[in-house]
Amino acid sequence: MQRFPRLRLDLLAACSMAAFLSACSEPVGEIESPEPPAQISEAEQRLAEVTQIAEQGALPEPLVAAVTPEGQYIPDVLRCLMDRDTTLISAHRGGVEPGFPEHAIETFANTLSGGPMLLEMDVRRTADGVLVMMHDESLERTTTGTGNVEDLTFAELTGLQLVDNEGEVTNYRIPSLSEVLNWARGRAYVQLDLKRTVPVEELVEAIVAHDALGYAMVITYTEEDALRAAQANGDVVVSIQLTEPERLAALSAAGVNTERLVGWMGVQRELDPSVWSHLDDAGIPPVAGTLWHLDGAVLESGDSTIYRDFAEAGVAMIATDLHWTAYEALEERQDTVAAFRACTQQ
């Protein structure tokens, strides 16, 4: 199996995020002897390999496939991992890296080729009603197109190319939700962030139609949407912010199956285990985000111990933009691969 090399934190520290695809600049000066052959950077090597794979029409397979045991769902797997003192990483927008833009299936495959993670992604609807993977309302930042997603048909969107976070145009295209769910079956656990233009019932319907209840879950932001999702299908897994015990009590009283809930603890600015302590007795896996604030501090300092601190404090999953940095920091305290295989009965 072909695996892509990981981008290390020292590469992030050595070159700015905006210059990932270029080697760090060399000192300028007079050269007396012939210049040695240039060293290819990890980012350039990764891009060369993925270009070759794309030309061959193949994608890397996950290091460990995400296979939900029969009759179980993502929260069951997370609870199993917690019993083994193992915290999973949630790769924000699929695990973005230089050469791998947001929401490309190629990006998802690249992420999972290095180790077990969950993939977080966003869902919007096109002018002709197709659900597609896209975070922004407009196309300018992440594609070669212009305008809004909802104003273009899916056929028009497929003519665009995705752009990575460094502004480099890739050969990858905007995938539909259907394509992602078909690819993810037997490979990935996915968390679908519902944008306002998509009714929650429509997203649940798509999950059910693809027989994806075991490996896909819905992110909701309000009690109303969480209730509507549960009413659409009692087995759909719902992620909702549960920092307040009262919200959990209200959802339970309304008949929501709490075994199908994942507790979002929000984007954290500091470690505060008291925020999710009330979920322990309820058996609901807590998820904490280190996006922006703590991830930024890690980039600045080079100290990734905060991810281990969150794991030690009992979170089931950490949502981060620095998925490899966090994953490798956790490997100092856990064997993610062995735990993931055990909890998926592989």
Side-chain angles (χ1 to χ4, degrees):
M1 177 187 69
Q2 183 170 9
R3 289 180 59 191
F4 297 129
R6 299 180 183 177
L7 291 179
R8 303 286 180 167
L9 186 60
D10 55 2
L11 180 62
L12 291 172
C15 303
S16 70
M17 291 290 284
F20 254 118
L21 299 181
S22 302
C24 296
S25 58
E26 295 291 335
V28 177
E30 189 174 355
I31 299 175
E32 300 289 344
S33 58
E35 186 174 352
Q39 294 288 325
I40 186 169
S41 70
E42 287 188 47
E44 290 168 334
Q45 182 178 348
R46 185 189 293 269
L47 286 172
E49 290 180 0
V50 78
T51 299
Q52 181 180 7
I53 286 176
E55 290 173 351
Q56 295 171 349
L59 290 175
E61 290 296 329
L63 181 64
V64 184
V67 180
T68 311
E70 186 175 354
Q72 296 191 23
Y73 301 82
I74 292 176
D76 299 311
V77 174
L78 293 177
R79 282 187 281 267
C80 176
L81 291 171
M82 292 177 70
D83 289 342
R84 287 164 171 77
D85 195 25
T86 300
T87 297
L88 197 63
I89 294 300
S90 172
H92 191 220
R93 301 181 192 175
V96 180
E97 299 182 33
F100 290 94
E102 297 176 8
H103 298 110
I105 290 178
E106 292 83 355
T107 299
F108 304 154
N110 172 66
T111 297
L112 297 185
S113 71
M117 299 187 197
L118 179 141
L119 304 174
E120 184 272 347
M121 56 192 75
D122 305 278
V123 182
R124 288 191 178 273
R125 185 207 269 149
T126 66
D128 52 344
V130 178
L131 299 183
V132 296
M133 316 317 299
M134 179 66 61
H135 176 270
D136 295 4
E137 181 179 8
S138 63
L139 295 162
E140 283 80 358
R141 183 178 66 87
T142 60
T143 80
T144 54
T146 59
N148 291 339
V149 175
E150 64 182 357
D151 295 329
L152 291 155
T153 66
F154 182 60
E156 290 171 325
L157 291 180
T158 57
L160 306 177
Q161 293 168 271
L162 288 170
V163 177
D164 72 8
N165 280 3
E166 283 65 44
E168 296 294 327
V169 177
T170 73
N171 292 324
Y172 308 141
R173 310 289 173 166
I174 300 171
S176 68
L177 174 62
S178 178
E179 290 172 308
V180 169
L181 291 178
N182 285 334
W183 169 83
R185 185 177 299 107
R187 292 187 176 96
Y189 294 141
V190 299
Q191 187 171 236
L192 304 171
D193 193 344
L194 185 72
K195 297 308 176 187
R196 293 180 181 178
T197 58
V198 183
V200 66
E201 293 87 355
E202 190 172 335
L203 184 54
V204 173
E205 180 182 351
I207 292 172
V208 173
H210 286 80
D211 195 22
L213 287 168
Y215 61 90
M217 63 177 172
V218 178
I219 297 175
T220 60
Y221 294 94
T222 66
E223 289 180 36
E224 179 186 358
D225 275 349
L227 285 170
R228 287 167 55 196
Q231 289 166 356
N233 188 290
D235 282 329
V236 70
V237 176
V238 175
S239 171
I240 184 171
Q241 186 160 335
L242 293 175
T243 50
E244 300 297 330
E246 293 78 12
R247 171 171 278 187
L248 175 58
L251 290 172
S252 178
V256 173
N257 183 355
T258 57
E259 290 187 358
R260 301 288 185 269
L261 290 179
V262 171
W264 171 239
M265 296 295 103
V267 175
Q268 306 291 299
R269 290 180 178 269
E270 60 183 2
L271 177 61
D272 182 8
S274 66
V275 177
W276 57 81
S277 60
H278 64 284
L279 296 183
D280 292 339
D281 292 339
I284 296 175
V287 179
T290 59
L291 307 164
W292 311 309
H293 313 295
L294 294 176
D295 282 355
V298 170
L299 277 177
E300 184 176 350
S301 68
D303 181 3
S304 61
T305 57
I306 187 64
Y307 303 114
R308 295 199 299 275
D309 294 341
F310 270 89
E312 294 291 344
V315 296
M317 194 157 57
I318 298 172
T320 175
D321 282 317
L322 303 180
H323 50 290
W324 287 129
T325 302
Y327 183 93
E328 292 176 1
L330 295 187
E331 286 302 277
E332 298 181 17
R333 67 175 295 277
Q334 65 188 36
D335 187 341
T336 307
V337 168
F340 197 81
R341 282 186 172 137
C343 289
T344 55
Q345 299 178 8
Q346 297 180 62

